[in-house]
PDB file of all heavy atoms in Angstrom:
ATOM      1  N   VAL A  76      73.483  81.627 109.426  1.00 97.00           N
ATOM      2  CA  VAL A  76      74.772  81.149 108.983  1.00 97.00           C
ATOM      3  C   VAL A  76      75.176  81.842 107.689  1.00 97.00           C
ATOM      4  O   VAL A  76      74.440  81.794 106.672  1.00 97.00           O
ATOM      5  CB  VAL A  76      74.777  79.625 108.788  1.00 97.00           C
ATOM      6  CG1 VAL A  76      76.140  79.109 108.375  1.00 97.00           C
ATOM      7  CG2 VAL A  76      74.296  78.916 110.048  1.00 97.00           C
ATOM      8  N   ASP A  77      76.281  82.492 107.700  1.00 95.00           N
ATOM      9  CA  ASP A  77      76.825  83.142 106.488  1.00 95.00           C
ATOM     10  C   ASP A  77      77.648  82.066 105.721  1.00 95.00           C
ATOM     11  O   ASP A  77      78.753  81.708 106.091  1.00 95.00           O
ATOM     12  CB  ASP A  77      77.754  84.310 106.857  1.00 95.00           C
ATOM     13  CG  ASP A  77      78.365  84.989 105.594  1.00 95.00           C
ATOM     14  OD1 ASP A  77      78.108  84.484 104.499  1.00 95.00           O
ATOM     15  OD2 ASP A  77      79.048  85.991 105.836  1.00 95.00           O
ATOM     16  N   MET A  78      77.037  81.490 104.686  1.00 94.00           N
ATOM     17  CA  MET A  78      77.621  80.340 103.949  1.00 94.00           C
ATOM     18  C   MET A  78      78.837  80.779 103.263  1.00 94.00           C
ATOM     19  O   MET A  78      79.679  79.914 102.848  1.00 94.00           O
ATOM     20  CB  MET A  78      76.607  79.767 102.983  1.00 94.00           C
ATOM     21  CG  MET A  78      75.353  79.233 103.700  1.00 94.00           C
ATOM     22  SD  MET A  78      75.694  77.765 104.709  1.00 94.00           S
ATOM     23  CE  MET A  78      76.038  76.556 103.437  1.00 94.00           C
ATOM     24  N   LYS A  79      79.052  82.058 102.968  1.00 92.00           N
ATOM     25  CA  LYS A  79      80.271  82.515 102.262  1.00 92.00           C
ATOM     26  C   LYS A  79      81.491  82.535 103.219  1.00 92.00           C
ATOM     27  O   LYS A  79      82.595  82.665 102.690  1.00 92.00           O
ATOM     28  CB  LYS A  79      79.988  83.912 101.627  1.00 92.00           C
ATOM     29  CG  LYS A  79      78.879  83.911 100.648  1.00 92.00           C
ATOM     30  CD  LYS A  79      79.105  83.023  99.461  1.00 92.00           C
ATOM     31  CE  LYS A  79      77.934  83.133  98.417  1.00 92.00           C
ATOM     32  NZ  LYS A  79      78.153  82.242  97.311  1.00 92.00           N
ATOM     33  N   SER A  80      81.234  82.428 104.490  1.00 94.00           N
ATOM     34  CA  SER A  80      82.282  82.514 105.433  1.00 94.00           C
ATOM     35  C   SER A  80      82.754  81.110 105.892  1.00 94.00           C
ATOM     36  O   SER A  80      83.760  81.011 106.699  1.00 94.00           O
ATOM     37  CB  SER A  80      81.859  83.300 106.666  1.00 94.00           C
ATOM     38  OG  SER A  80      81.510  84.654 106.365  1.00 94.00           O
ATOM     39  N   VAL A  81      82.046  80.134 105.354  1.00 94.00           N
ATOM     40  CA  VAL A  81      82.401  78.727 105.827  1.00 94.00           C
ATOM     41  C   VAL A  81      82.545  77.948 104.493  1.00 94.00           C
ATOM     42  O   VAL A  81      81.629  77.877 103.685  1.00 94.00           O
ATOM     43  CB  VAL A  81      81.323  78.124 106.662  1.00 94.00           C
ATOM     44  CG1 VAL A  81      81.696  76.656 107.049  1.00 94.00           C
ATOM     45  CG2 VAL A  81      81.049  78.953 107.927  1.00 94.00           C
ATOM     46  N   ASP A  82      83.686  77.260 104.306  1.00 93.00           N
ATOM     47  CA  ASP A  82      83.856  76.544 103.078  1.00 93.00           C
ATOM     48  C   ASP A  82      82.945  75.328 103.052  1.00 93.00           C
ATOM     49  O   ASP A  82      82.540  74.791 104.087  1.00 93.00           O
ATOM     50  CB  ASP A  82      85.333  76.054 102.868  1.00 93.00           C
ATOM     51  CG  ASP A  82      85.703  74.938 103.820  1.00 93.00           C
ATOM     52  OD1 ASP A  82      85.487  73.776 103.527  1.00 93.00           O
ATOM     53  OD2 ASP A  82      86.191  75.259 104.992  1.00 93.00           O
ATOM     54  N   ARG A  83      82.490  74.971 101.878  1.00 94.00           N
ATOM     55  CA  ARG A  83      81.391  73.990 101.636  1.00 94.00           C
ATOM     56  C   ARG A  83      81.736  72.717 102.369  1.00 94.00           C
ATOM     57  O   ARG A  83      80.845  72.106 103.030  1.00 94.00           O
ATOM     58  CB  ARG A  83      81.154  73.809 100.199  1.00 94.00           C
ATOM     59  CG  ARG A  83      80.010  72.807  99.894  1.00 94.00           C
ATOM     60  CD  ARG A  83      79.498  72.989  98.574  1.00 94.00           C
ATOM     61  NE  ARG A  83      78.529  71.991  98.141  1.00 94.00           N
ATOM     62  CZ  ARG A  83      77.695  72.139  97.160  1.00 94.00           C
ATOM     63  NH1 ARG A  83      77.650  73.237  96.429  1.00 94.00           N
ATOM     64  NH2 ARG A  83      76.800  71.196  96.848  1.00 94.00           N
ATOM     65  N   ALA A  84      82.912  72.166 102.121  1.00 96.00           N
ATOM     66  CA  ALA A  84      83.309  70.831 102.734  1.00 96.00           C
ATOM     67  C   ALA A  84      83.205  70.899 104.216  1.00 96.00           C
ATOM     68  O   ALA A  84      82.683  69.929 104.856  1.00 96.00           O
ATOM     69  CB  ALA A  84      84.716  70.482 102.272  1.00 96.00           C
ATOM     70  N   SER A  85      83.663  71.923 104.869  1.00 96.00           N
ATOM     71  CA  SER A  85      83.584  72.063 106.341  1.00 96.00           C
ATOM     72  C   SER A  85      82.128  72.160 106.800  1.00 96.00           C
ATOM     73  O   SER A  85      81.738  71.544 107.805  1.00 96.00           O
ATOM     74  CB  SER A  85      84.355  73.233 106.848  1.00 96.00           C
ATOM     75  OG  SER A  85      85.735  73.151 106.478  1.00 96.00           O
ATOM     76  N   PHE A  86      81.340  72.933 106.068  1.00 97.00           N
ATOM     77  CA  PHE A  86      79.931  73.030 106.421  1.00 97.00           C
ATOM     78  C   PHE A  86      79.240  71.703 106.408  1.00 97.00           C
ATOM     79  O   PHE A  86      78.578  71.292 107.312  1.00 97.00           O
ATOM     80  CB  PHE A  86      79.261  74.002 105.414  1.00 97.00           C
ATOM     81  CG  PHE A  86      77.781  74.034 105.516  1.00 97.00           C
ATOM     82  CD1 PHE A  86      77.210  74.849 106.559  1.00 97.00           C
ATOM     83  CD2 PHE A  86      76.904  73.287 104.781  1.00 97.00           C
ATOM     84  CE1 PHE A  86      75.764  74.875 106.751  1.00 97.00           C
ATOM     85  CE2 PHE A  86      75.475  73.310 104.947  1.00 97.00           C
ATOM     86  CZ  PHE A  86      74.987  74.102 105.922  1.00 97.00           C
ATOM     87  N   VAL A  87      79.406  70.976 105.268  1.00 97.00           N
ATOM     88  CA  VAL A  87      78.757  69.661 105.095  1.00 97.00           C
ATOM     89  C   VAL A  87      79.201  68.667 106.220  1.00 97.00           C
ATOM     90  O   VAL A  87      78.347  67.958 106.817  1.00 97.00           O
ATOM     91  CB  VAL A  87      79.033  69.050 103.726  1.00 97.00           C
ATOM     92  CG1 VAL A  87      78.527  67.646 103.619  1.00 97.00           C
ATOM     93  CG2 VAL A  87      78.416  69.900 102.621  1.00 97.00           C
ATOM     94  N   GLU A  88      80.467  68.615 106.515  1.00 97.00           N
ATOM     95  CA  GLU A  88      80.987  67.713 107.532  1.00 97.00           C
ATOM     96  C   GLU A  88      80.469  68.090 108.914  1.00 97.00           C
ATOM     97  O   GLU A  88      80.123  67.167 109.722  1.00 97.00           O
ATOM     98  CB  GLU A  88      82.537  67.812 107.557  1.00 97.00           C
ATOM     99  CG  GLU A  88      83.194  66.919 108.604  1.00 97.00           C
ATOM    100  CD  GLU A  88      84.668  67.042 108.558  1.00 97.00           C
ATOM    101  OE1 GLU A  88      85.239  67.826 107.821  1.00 97.00           O
ATOM    102  OE2 GLU A  88      85.328  66.310 109.511  1.00 97.00           O
TER     103      GLU A  88
END
Side-chain angles (χ1 to χ4, degrees):
V76 182
D77 180 356
M78 299 292 290
K79 301 299 185 183
S80 299
V81 182
D82 71 90
R83 180 161 173 162
S85 298
F86 172 82
V87 171
E88 179 183 358

